[in-house]
Amino acid sequence: MSGEKKGRAIVLGGKTGLLGRPLTAALEAAGFAVMPTTRGDLDPFDTGAVARALHAFEATHLFNTVAYTAVDAAEDDVEAAYRLNRDLPGLLARACGPAKATLVQYSTDFVFDGEATAPYTEEAPTDPRSVYGASKLAGERAILEAGLPDYQILRTAWLYGPGKKNFVATILGLARTRPELSVVADQVGSPTGTLDLAGWSADLAATGKTGIFHAVGSGQASWCELAAEAVAAAGLPCRVLPIPSSGYPQKAWRPRYSVLANAKLAAAIGRTPRPWRQSLREYVYSQEQAAD
Ligand SMILES: NC(=O)c1ccc[n+]([C@@H]2O[C@H](COP(=O)([O-])OP(=O)(O)OC[C@H]3O[C@@H](n4cnc5c(N)ncnc54)[C@H](OP(=O)(O)O)[C@@H]3O)[C@@H](O)[C@H]2O)c1
């Protein structure tokens, strides 16, 4: 094993995921040797193949960005959601134990009930109200129940970033062609840039700490505020109007308030995640430059 590297990381979903791609880049930039995979390279459900890959690559870390992330579709596709969000982390935890590798798993603000009035800490009681949230919580529990000594579960939220469809990209696309947009204003959460999350993940991996961490941008916003900020940063002449959730019915339940407290992550990595507005502006500017 190379003594110079900070670690050796396999990233499941590392070539195609919204998070997977920047995570691969951030780990490389932080000094990890990285093996990103797609389902074609390595079937994550093939436990023998995963064990062999961990051994052959001499992996110190297995990052799992693979998930069933279609929140509304999950309501009707319960089996598939649980297979990816509960069963897979459990299988991976059991593969990481004998390989002495740290499993890094991503979870969600949807594990909470959305009834809070102050940011949720890692110790706050969970109470998911959607299939997606329940299946992701079951994945957290599968890792804990596997008794793996070294794991990091990063609960994140409201991701945007380059390379793949996301809420901000969708809003910018609509704002280019419409004079006004109506966006839900009574759901408040923690917008988070994937480039930031990837950097925190690399830093946290290097600490060797174990546990659950809330990994989100600092501050809070409603979907309407996030959309308005993105439209303003892009300089688009589109009005963003607030509407209640009842004006935009969705199949799955959504939390009214799911802001996550990120102080534990900040203490672990020695820096406070920057405000979401800063990272959003960087993302929007980079998209606008790419579109020029
Ligand atoms: N996006 C958000 O706003 C958000 C919010 C909170 C938490 N999270 C969590 O953050 C993590 C990363 O999310 P993301 O938005 O980056 O997800 P994503 O873009 O939907 O990527 C999911 C990855 O999983 C892979 N995948 C899906 N089904 C698979 C299967 N059956 N076998 C193998 N690979 C499969 C996909 O590969 P293909 O490209 O081949 O389909 C893709 O690389 C997830 O754990 C998610 O729950 C996301």
Side-chain angles (χ1 to χ4, degrees), residues 176-260:
R176 283 193 192 94
T177 58
R178 296 191 191 171
E180 61 182 42
L181 291 174
S182 299
V183 184
V184 169
D186 57 3
Q187 295 170 23
V188 174
S190 299
T192 304
T194 54
L195 301 184
D196 287 4
L197 175 57
W200 308 326
S201 300
D203 288 357
L204 188 62
T207 67
K209 292 183 193 296
T210 282
I212 297 178
F213 298 85
H214 287 177
V216 290
S218 293
Q220 64 178 53
S222 69
W223 291 111
C224 185
E225 285 168 328
L226 176 57
E229 190 74 20
V231 168
L236 295 168
C238 175
R239 294 177 69 210
V240 180
L241 306 174
I243 54 166
S245 300
S246 56
Y248 186 71
Q250 290 174 295
K251 177 96 186 175
W253 167 93
R254 296 293 196 282
R256 185 186 52 76
Y257 177 95
S258 62
V259 178
L260 301 182

Side-chain angles (χ1 to χ4, degrees), residues 13 16-19 39 44 65-67 69 84 106-108 132 136 156-159 164:
T16 60
L18 180 64
L19 173 62
R39 57 176 100 198
T65 72
V66 168
T69 55
L84 276 161
Y106 293 88
S107 190
T108 170
Y132 172 71
K136 293 293 291 184
T156 191
W158 293 35
L159 292 183
K164 197 164 178 178

Side-chain angles (χ1 to χ4, degrees), residues 42 51 74 92 100 111 113 128 140 148 189 203 205-206 209 215 221 228 250 254 270:
L42 176 63
L92 297 176
K100 298 197 168 23
V111 299
D113 62 9
E140 292 185 9
L148 184 66
D203 288 357
K209 292 183 193 296
Q250 290 174 295
R254 296 293 196 282

